[in-house]
Amino acid sequence: MIRLLSLVLLASVMGCGLGGTGSVPATQADAGEGLNQLRDLLVEAAGVGPAPKKKADIAEYIGRYPAAVAGVDDGSLTVIWGKGIREGLGDDAAIIAHQTDTSGESVWVVRENSEIEKLSVEDFKKEVS
């Protein structure tokens, strides 16, 4: 019960400063459960300490974000280690996580401002190079 209350409090505190909207950005259903959970995991991690630096840091969240942890473990999701959610960023927010497969026409990404965005593979490659 205490853990649940702590998570609710953390979620409300984290939402207050993100993008000035007072809430975490909406889920992007087309991005998949794993990427949406990874964004939520990164939001939660930003509230409790430094950005994840290795897989073990992500693995700690398996109970709450199993699809995100599985995606990082199996390589279908990529985390830019040491980069995390930051408040007060607008259009200059860098990519901090993304779908690993870039062989299609587009790729879903998570940005530092906690937004999930769909980019063309060409735009994605320009941004991460």
Short mmCIF file of all heavy atoms in Angstrom, two decimals, residues 61-94:
data_model
loop_
_atom_site.label_atom_id
_atom_site.label_comp_id
_atom_site.label_asym_id
_atom_site.label_seq_id
_atom_site.Cartn_x
_atom_site.Cartn_y
_atom_site.Cartn_z
N TYR A 61 13.07 -2.17 -12.71
CA TYR A 61 11.67 -1.76 -12.90
C TYR A 61 10.81 -2.87 -13.51
O TYR A 61 9.68 -2.61 -13.94
CB TYR A 61 11.61 -0.52 -13.80
CG TYR A 61 12.21 0.70 -13.16
CD1 TYR A 61 13.55 1.00 -13.31
CD2 TYR A 61 11.42 1.57 -12.42
CE1 TYR A 61 14.10 2.13 -12.72
CE2 TYR A 61 11.95 2.71 -11.83
CZ TYR A 61 13.29 2.98 -11.99
OH TYR A 61 13.83 4.10 -11.41
N ILE A 62 11.29 -4.10 -13.56
CA ILE A 62 10.58 -5.17 -14.25
C ILE A 62 9.16 -5.40 -13.71
O ILE A 62 8.26 -5.71 -14.48
CB ILE A 62 11.38 -6.49 -14.26
CG1 ILE A 62 10.76 -7.45 -15.27
CG2 ILE A 62 11.47 -7.09 -12.87
CD1 ILE A 62 11.65 -8.58 -15.69
N GLY A 63 8.95 -5.21 -12.44
CA GLY A 63 7.62 -5.43 -11.86
C GLY A 63 6.57 -4.45 -12.38
O GLY A 63 5.40 -4.81 -12.52
N ARG A 64 6.97 -3.22 -12.67
CA ARG A 64 6.02 -2.20 -13.12
C ARG A 64 6.03 -2.02 -14.63
O ARG A 64 5.03 -1.58 -15.20
CB ARG A 64 6.33 -0.87 -12.43
CG ARG A 64 6.00 -0.91 -10.95
CD ARG A 64 6.23 0.41 -10.24
NE ARG A 64 7.58 0.94 -10.28
CZ ARG A 64 8.61 0.49 -9.58
NH1 ARG A 64 8.46 -0.55 -8.79
NH2 ARG A 64 9.79 1.07 -9.66
N TYR A 65 7.14 -2.31 -15.27
CA TYR A 65 7.28 -2.06 -16.72
C TYR A 65 7.87 -3.28 -17.43
O TYR A 65 8.94 -3.21 -18.03
CB TYR A 65 8.15 -0.82 -16.95
CG TYR A 65 7.66 0.40 -16.22
CD1 TYR A 65 8.33 0.89 -15.10
CD2 TYR A 65 6.50 1.06 -16.61
CE1 TYR A 65 7.88 2.00 -14.42
CE2 TYR A 65 6.03 2.17 -15.93
CZ TYR A 65 6.73 2.64 -14.83
OH TYR A 65 6.27 3.74 -14.15
N PRO A 66 7.19 -4.43 -17.37
CA PRO A 66 7.77 -5.66 -17.93
C PRO A 66 8.04 -5.59 -19.43
O PRO A 66 9.04 -6.13 -19.89
CB PRO A 66 6.74 -6.73 -17.58
CG PRO A 66 5.45 -5.98 -17.36
CD PRO A 66 5.85 -4.65 -16.81
N ALA A 67 7.17 -4.94 -20.20
CA ALA A 67 7.38 -4.87 -21.65
C ALA A 67 8.60 -4.00 -21.97
O ALA A 67 9.33 -4.29 -22.92
CB ALA A 67 6.14 -4.33 -22.34
N ALA A 68 8.83 -2.95 -21.21
CA ALA A 68 10.00 -2.09 -21.43
C ALA A 68 11.29 -2.84 -21.12
O ALA A 68 12.24 -2.82 -21.91
CB ALA A 68 9.90 -0.84 -20.56
N VAL A 69 11.32 -3.52 -19.98
CA VAL A 69 12.51 -4.27 -19.58
C VAL A 69 12.79 -5.37 -20.59
O VAL A 69 13.94 -5.56 -21.01
CB VAL A 69 12.36 -4.83 -18.15
CG1 VAL A 69 13.53 -5.74 -17.80
CG2 VAL A 69 12.24 -3.68 -17.14
N ALA A 70 11.75 -6.07 -21.03
CA ALA A 70 11.92 -7.14 -22.02
C ALA A 70 12.45 -6.57 -23.33
O ALA A 70 13.34 -7.17 -23.96
CB ALA A 70 10.59 -7.87 -22.25
N GLY A 71 11.94 -5.42 -23.76
CA GLY A 71 12.40 -4.80 -25.00
C GLY A 71 13.87 -4.39 -24.95
O GLY A 71 14.61 -4.56 -25.92
N VAL A 72 14.29 -3.86 -23.82
CA VAL A 72 15.70 -3.50 -23.66
C VAL A 72 16.55 -4.77 -23.63
O VAL A 72 17.60 -4.85 -24.27
CB VAL A 72 15.92 -2.64 -22.40
CG1 VAL A 72 17.41 -2.43 -22.12
CG2 VAL A 72 15.21 -1.28 -22.55
N ASP A 73 16.07 -5.80 -22.92
CA ASP A 73 16.81 -7.06 -22.83
C ASP A 73 16.95 -7.75 -24.18
O ASP A 73 18.02 -8.27 -24.50
CB ASP A 73 16.14 -8.02 -21.85
CG ASP A 73 16.44 -7.69 -20.40
OD1 ASP A 73 17.37 -6.90 -20.13
OD2 ASP A 73 15.73 -8.21 -19.51
N ASP A 74 15.88 -7.77 -24.97
CA ASP A 74 15.95 -8.49 -26.25
C ASP A 74 16.49 -7.64 -27.39
O ASP A 74 16.64 -8.10 -28.51
CB ASP A 74 14.61 -9.12 -26.61
CG ASP A 74 13.52 -8.13 -27.02
OD1 ASP A 74 13.82 -6.97 -27.36
OD2 ASP A 74 12.33 -8.53 -27.00
N GLY A 75 16.77 -6.36 -27.10
CA GLY A 75 17.36 -5.49 -28.12
C GLY A 75 16.38 -4.81 -29.04
O GLY A 75 16.79 -4.10 -29.96
N SER A 76 15.08 -4.99 -28.83
CA SER A 76 14.11 -4.32 -29.70
C SER A 76 13.93 -2.84 -29.34
O SER A 76 13.41 -2.07 -30.14
CB SER A 76 12.76 -5.05 -29.68
OG SER A 76 12.20 -5.04 -28.37
N LEU A 77 14.36 -2.46 -28.12
CA LEU A 77 14.33 -1.07 -27.69
C LEU A 77 15.74 -0.66 -27.29
O LEU A 77 16.46 -1.43 -26.67
CB LEU A 77 13.38 -0.88 -26.50
CG LEU A 77 11.91 -1.19 -26.74
CD1 LEU A 77 11.13 -1.11 -25.43
CD2 LEU A 77 11.32 -0.25 -27.78
N THR A 78 16.11 0.55 -27.64
CA THR A 78 17.43 1.08 -27.33
C THR A 78 17.31 2.26 -26.40
O THR A 78 16.49 3.14 -26.63
CB THR A 78 18.15 1.51 -28.63
OG1 THR A 78 18.30 0.37 -29.47
CG2 THR A 78 19.50 2.12 -28.35
N VAL A 79 18.14 2.28 -25.37
CA VAL A 79 18.21 3.40 -24.43
C VAL A 79 19.55 4.09 -24.65
O VAL A 79 20.58 3.44 -24.79
CB VAL A 79 18.12 2.91 -22.96
CG1 VAL A 79 18.31 4.06 -21.99
CG2 VAL A 79 16.79 2.21 -22.72
N ILE A 80 19.53 5.41 -24.69
CA ILE A 80 20.77 6.18 -24.74
C ILE A 80 21.22 6.32 -23.29
O ILE A 80 20.69 7.14 -22.54
CB ILE A 80 20.57 7.56 -25.41
CG1 ILE A 80 19.83 7.44 -26.75
CG2 ILE A 80 21.91 8.29 -25.53
CD1 ILE A 80 20.51 6.59 -27.79
N TRP A 81 22.14 5.48 -22.86
CA TRP A 81 22.54 5.40 -21.46
C TRP A 81 23.07 6.73 -20.94
O TRP A 81 23.83 7.42 -21.62
CB TRP A 81 23.57 4.29 -21.26
CG TRP A 81 23.06 2.96 -21.70
CD1 TRP A 81 23.53 2.20 -22.73
CD2 TRP A 81 21.95 2.23 -21.14
NE1 TRP A 81 22.77 1.05 -22.84
CE2 TRP A 81 21.81 1.05 -21.88
CE3 TRP A 81 21.08 2.48 -20.10
CZ2 TRP A 81 20.83 0.10 -21.61
CZ3 TRP A 81 20.09 1.54 -19.82
CH2 TRP A 81 19.97 0.36 -20.57
N GLY A 82 22.63 7.06 -19.74
CA GLY A 82 23.06 8.30 -19.09
C GLY A 82 22.23 9.51 -19.47
O GLY A 82 22.41 10.58 -18.92
N LYS A 83 21.30 9.35 -20.41
CA LYS A 83 20.40 10.44 -20.81
C LYS A 83 19.02 10.15 -20.22
O LYS A 83 18.57 9.01 -20.24
CB LYS A 83 20.28 10.55 -22.33
CG LYS A 83 21.58 10.81 -23.03
CD LYS A 83 21.98 12.25 -22.86
CE LYS A 83 23.23 12.54 -23.68
NZ LYS A 83 23.68 13.89 -23.50
N GLY A 84 18.35 11.16 -19.73
CA GLY A 84 17.06 10.93 -19.11
C GLY A 84 16.09 12.06 -19.36
O GLY A 84 16.38 13.01 -20.10
N ILE A 85 14.94 11.96 -18.75
CA ILE A 85 13.90 12.97 -18.85
C ILE A 85 14.38 14.25 -18.16
O ILE A 85 14.92 14.20 -17.07
CB ILE A 85 12.59 12.47 -18.19
CG1 ILE A 85 12.10 11.17 -18.85
CG2 ILE A 85 11.52 13.56 -18.21
CD1 ILE A 85 11.69 11.27 -20.29
N ARG A 86 14.16 15.36 -18.82
CA ARG A 86 14.52 16.67 -18.27
C ARG A 86 13.35 17.62 -18.46
O ARG A 86 12.70 17.61 -19.51
CB ARG A 86 15.76 17.23 -18.97
CG ARG A 86 16.99 16.40 -18.73
CD ARG A 86 18.22 16.90 -19.44
NE ARG A 86 18.21 18.32 -19.73
CZ ARG A 86 18.92 18.89 -20.69
NH1 ARG A 86 19.69 18.17 -21.46
NH2 ARG A 86 18.87 20.18 -20.91
N GLU A 87 13.12 18.44 -17.48
CA GLU A 87 12.02 19.40 -17.55
C GLU A 87 12.44 20.65 -18.32
O GLU A 87 13.62 20.97 -18.42
CB GLU A 87 11.59 19.80 -16.14
CG GLU A 87 10.96 18.67 -15.37
CD GLU A 87 10.45 19.13 -14.02
OE1 GLU A 87 10.05 20.29 -13.88
OE2 GLU A 87 10.47 18.30 -13.11
N GLY A 88 11.44 21.36 -18.84
CA GLY A 88 11.66 22.66 -19.45
C GLY A 88 12.23 22.63 -20.85
O GLY A 88 12.71 23.65 -21.33
N LEU A 89 12.20 21.50 -21.51
CA LEU A 89 12.72 21.41 -22.87
C LEU A 89 11.58 21.52 -23.87
O LEU A 89 10.51 20.98 -23.67
CB LEU A 89 13.45 20.09 -23.09
CG LEU A 89 14.67 19.85 -22.21
CD1 LEU A 89 15.19 18.45 -22.42
CD2 LEU A 89 15.75 20.87 -22.51
N GLY A 90 11.81 22.19 -24.94
CA GLY A 90 10.81 22.30 -26.00
C GLY A 90 11.22 21.47 -27.18
O GLY A 90 11.50 20.27 -27.06
N ASP A 91 11.31 22.11 -28.33
CA ASP A 91 11.64 21.43 -29.57
C ASP A 91 13.08 20.94 -29.64
O ASP A 91 13.43 20.17 -30.53
CB ASP A 91 11.37 22.35 -30.76
CG ASP A 91 9.89 22.65 -30.92
OD1 ASP A 91 9.06 21.86 -30.42
OD2 ASP A 91 9.56 23.68 -31.54
N ASP A 92 13.92 21.38 -28.72
CA ASP A 92 15.32 20.98 -28.72
C ASP A 92 15.58 19.68 -27.95
O ASP A 92 16.73 19.31 -27.74
CB ASP A 92 16.19 22.08 -28.12
CG ASP A 92 16.18 23.34 -28.98
OD1 ASP A 92 15.96 23.22 -30.20
OD2 ASP A 92 16.38 24.43 -28.42
N ALA A 93 14.55 19.00 -27.51
CA ALA A 93 14.70 17.78 -26.72
C ALA A 93 15.32 16.68 -27.58
O ALA A 93 14.83 16.35 -28.65
CB ALA A 93 13.35 17.34 -26.18
N ALA A 94 16.39 16.11 -27.07
CA ALA A 94 17.11 15.05 -27.78
C ALA A 94 16.41 13.70 -27.60
O ALA A 94 15.61 13.51 -26.68
CB ALA A 94 18.54 14.96 -27.25
#
